Amino acid sequence: MRPLRIFHVVGARPNFMKVAPVMAALASQPGVQQKLAHTGQHYAANMSDAFFQQLGIPEPDVNLEVGSGTHATQTGQIMIGIEQCLMADPHDLVVVYGDVNSTVAAALVAAKMQIPLAHVEAGLRSRDRSMPEEINRIVTDRLAQLLFTPSADGDANLLAEGADPASIHLVGNVMIDTLVRLLPQAEPAPVLQPLGIPAGSPFVLVTLHRPSNVDDPEMLGRILEVLSALADRVPVLFPVHPRTRARLSGSRWLRPALHLIEPLGYLEFVGVERHASLVVTDSGGVQEETAYLGVPCLTVRENTERPVTIEAGTNRLVGRDTARLHREAVAILEAGRLGRPTTIPPLWDGHAAERIAAVIVNGAWRRRIDATAAQRSV
């Protein structure tokens, strides 16, 4: 059987946790050759290099180093780079992850070059097209021939949009694969001890990066006011995105117990996340991780593309209502966790990547690829 050549494209931290288990699962399959392209959409060492090292991702074969820029600039530069790679070295399948600009850029290139496309984490919808990520999800799913969904709502969304049922594969959440594998190594002490926070004591973990929260001075100020009030009760850890740090200097809301720290590596973040009394976030991935860990999560967004985390019982949307954020945070801290049953979504079991590899290598799609290749060689 001819080798199956697979081209993975990643560009930002959420992608890294997803590509690691998929590449590992495919590497265990005979006759599979893989190449990894890193677009450089996240390019700071503490937001990229450290994650590759901790997750055991091989050194990228290609690094486009596109850096920051407007959506059009970043997407365009990634398209040019990916097209050049695939023209020089053709592959049988392009695999993209999540919903960042790197995802949609590679999807467009694959579609125009008539290369089959697989989307890992397909079908998620917030139904809020003011979010660039929602546009990226919709476009990528319309172009992909293999749609790997993390939860049943993803299947329902794709079917409602007219996707071919044969292209949809409910496999579970590959981010949870990485979480399950590395959880035993994730300890809070390396982060908490330097801050003087005793082991086992309550604390709040915060992660915010969406423009609606951190680029709006009025909204950011209201969030900081809540965090400062919470810091009068328990320590608050806020790993600050580089884009946000400049906006926080000299803020009148800061308290000694409100710890503004540098972005954390994966193991360090999971170490504090798993022991947090409460997580305040606007991140989709953090909503998923807290659902698996059973940690209370308040999401500072009006909507979520991961409603399964709300159904799991760990996550609540508080929108832009900072009074509600404060009220619900205090209630959780006083109750000591959520005080209600929680569940882990189906197939979030650490084996999603194995199911993806089985579809790619042994499914009907592979047989069609081999048949096409055989016809070309005649």
Side-chain angles (χ1 to χ4, degrees):
M1 184 179 290
R2 61 183 292 276
L4 179 64
R5 307 198 69 223
I6 300 174
F7 190 81
H8 303 267
V9 181
V10 297
R13 282 202 304 180
N15 297 162
F16 306 156
M17 285 86 84
K18 297 162 191 168
V19 73
V22 175
M23 290 194 72
L26 286 166
S28 68
Q29 299 286 334
V32 173
Q33 299 175 0
Q34 302 184 79
K35 180 173 282 190
L36 177 62
H38 180 8
T39 68
Q41 185 176 331
H42 274 179
Y43 50 90
N46 58 356
M47 299 189 73
S48 180
D49 295 352
F51 271 58
F52 271 63
Q53 294 163 8
Q54 292 184 349
L55 298 176
I57 302 172
E59 187 76 18
D61 300 282
V62 175
N63 194 327
L64 300 181
E65 299 181 338
V66 299
S68 59
T70 67
H71 288 284
T73 298
Q74 199 173 63
T75 302
Q77 290 179 345
I78 294 168
M79 289 182 68
I80 292 169
I82 295 297
E83 182 185 57
Q84 290 173 345
C85 290
L86 292 173
M87 288 179 66
D89 187 14
H91 282 70
D92 298 309
L93 178 69
V94 173
V95 185
V96 294
Y97 299 81
D99 55 19
V100 299
N101 287 342
S102 300
T103 305
V104 72
L108 287 165
V109 172
K112 294 196 173 189
M113 294 184 69
Q114 298 294 295
I115 301 172
L117 174 70
H119 184 201
V120 175
E121 200 181 74
L124 300 187
R125 297 291 184 270
S126 67
R127 293 174 175 80
D128 178 3
R129 294 202 181 189
S130 69
M131 295 175 60
E133 296 90 346
E134 183 77 351
I135 305 300
N136 294 346
R137 295 179 201 115
I138 293 169
V139 172
T140 302
D141 284 342
R142 291 298 295 268
L143 297 175
Q145 289 76 44
L146 289 174
L147 297 161
F148 294 115
T149 60
S151 49
D153 60 291
D155 293 46
N157 290 334
L158 291 167
L159 290 170
E161 293 171 2
D164 179 0
S167 69
I168 302 170
H169 302 272
L170 176 58
V171 294
N173 193 328
V174 291
M175 279 192 66
I176 303 304
D177 290 19
T178 294
L179 186 64
V180 169
R181 178 171 67 90
L182 295 179
L183 199 56
Q185 303 175 40
E187 295 296 334
V191 178
L192 298 184
Q193 283 184 354
L195 300 175
I197 301 174
S201 62
F203 65 90
V204 175
L205 176 63
V206 180
T207 168
L208 300 169
H209 71 281
R210 296 192 179 275
S212 59
N213 288 324
V214 299
D215 288 355
D216 179 346
E218 192 271 336
M219 182 61 185
L220 182 59
R222 289 195 284 124
I223 293 173
L224 280 171
E225 189 171 7
V226 172
L227 298 182
S228 296
L230 296 178
D232 290 335
R233 292 173 172 267
V234 299
V236 175
L237 277 64
F238 186 178
V240 181
H241 192 283
R243 204 162 46 100
T244 307
R245 179 166 290 277
R247 298 180 176 88
L248 301 182
S249 59
S251 172
R252 68 179 185 276
W253 294 286
L254 300 187
R255 303 283 190 278
L258 176 53
H259 301 281
L260 304 180
I261 60 178
E262 292 297 313
L264 299 173
Y266 180 78
L267 290 175
E268 291 80 9
F269 183 83
V270 171
V272 292
E273 182 182 35
R274 69 186 298 194
H275 290 280
S277 306
L278 167 67
V279 174
V280 176
T281 192
D282 57 15
S283 162
V286 172
Q287 294 173 57
E288 293 175 323
E289 289 167 350
T290 51
Y292 182 84
L293 295 169
V295 174
C297 179
L298 296 178
T299 299
V300 189
R301 287 173 49 186
E302 299 288 350
N303 49 60
T304 180
E305 63 283 355
R306 294 163 170 88
V308 67
T309 62
I310 297 175
E311 297 166 9
T314 52
N315 186 24
R316 297 177 188 168
L317 297 179
V318 297
R320 295 172 62 87
D321 185 346
T322 51
R324 181 183 176 190
L325 171 63
H326 181 261
R327 183 171 64 252
E328 298 219 20
V330 169
I332 290 170
L333 292 173
E334 290 182 345
R337 293 283 194 165
L338 283 165
R340 65 175 184 268
T342 63
T343 60
I344 297 174
L347 298 181
W348 291 24
D349 56 4
H351 300 287
E354 297 167 25
R355 290 186 278 269
I356 290 172
V359 171
I360 289 176
V361 174
N362 301 314
W365 173 86
R366 172 67 190 274
R367 292 191 289 274
R368 289 198 300 270
I369 288 291
D370 289 341
T372 301
Q375 290 175 358
R376 288 174 179 169
S377 64
V378 172

